[in-house]
Amino acid sequence: MPDMQKKQDIDVAQTNQNLPSRAGEVIRLISNAELKADERLKDAEVEAKKIIEDAKGESEKLIKESERSADEKIKRVRSLTEEKGKELILSLMEKSKSDCEALKEEARARIDDAANAVIKKVLESWQ
């Protein structure tokens, strides 16, 4: 058993001697991990900024495209409205013309009656 005790003492002694180098290794690993985390954070920030800029550019494109599309629709609606308005005006003018002609015909048909009524009134007023 004394040999085993010596072996354990030697292992403990070697472990104690290795502690400073192990602690240094752990510190180095932690430092490397922190550096990598910082690099990843910086990379993520750069990537996030790029994504934001790309999104802004894309949204500006979409806004311009939407405005162009809306302008085109407005022009088409305006053109259609003007065309329909012209058609309606022409239709109303034709109806008015037709109504005027009908009134003229009716008045022409009664012109003799109207003239006779006027003559009758004039003659009655002289008597």
Side-chain angles (χ1 to χ4, degrees):
M1 273 241 197
D3 286 335
M4 285 196 92
Q5 184 63 34
K6 281 185 178 181
K7 184 169 177 143
Q8 284 179 349
D9 289 341
I10 293 172
D11 287 342
V12 170
Q14 285 176 349
T15 301
N16 287 338
Q17 287 174 354
N18 290 335
L19 276 179
S21 65
R22 284 187 184 172
E25 180 70 20
V26 169
I27 291 171
R28 188 179 61 75
L29 288 173
I30 291 171
S31 294
N32 284 341
E34 287 175 342
L35 287 173
K36 286 181 182 178
D38 287 343
E39 287 177 18
R40 287 181 183 164
L41 182 60
K42 287 177 186 175
D43 290 345
E45 287 173 350
V46 167
E47 184 66 22
K49 286 179 183 177
K50 184 177 181 337
I51 289 170
I52 290 169
E53 289 301 315
D54 290 348
K56 283 181 183 178
E58 189 63 29
S59 67
E60 288 174 7
K61 285 181 188 175
L62 289 173
I63 288 169
K64 287 179 182 177
E65 185 178 314
S66 295
E67 287 173 345
R68 258 193 317 273
S69 176
D71 287 343
E72 288 174 11
K73 286 179 183 177
I74 288 170
K75 286 177 185 176
R76 283 194 305 254
V77 168
R78 184 176 290 147
S79 176
L80 262 171
T81 303
E82 288 174 356
E83 190 174 312
K84 292 291 181 183
K86 287 176 185 176
E87 290 175 8
L88 181 60
I89 288 171
L90 290 175
S91 172
L92 289 172
M93 287 174 67
E94 284 295 319
K95 172 111 173 75
S96 295
K97 184 179 178 181
S98 175
D99 290 348
C100 284
E101 289 299 321
L103 287 172
K104 285 180 187 178
E105 288 297 319
E106 192 176 317
R108 284 185 190 124
R110 294 187 183 175
I111 201 159
D112 289 337
D113 293 339
N116 287 335
V118 169
I119 292 171
K120 185 177 177 184
K121 287 271 186 182
V122 169
L123 290 175
E124 285 176 4
S125 67
W126 278 13
Q127 291 179 346

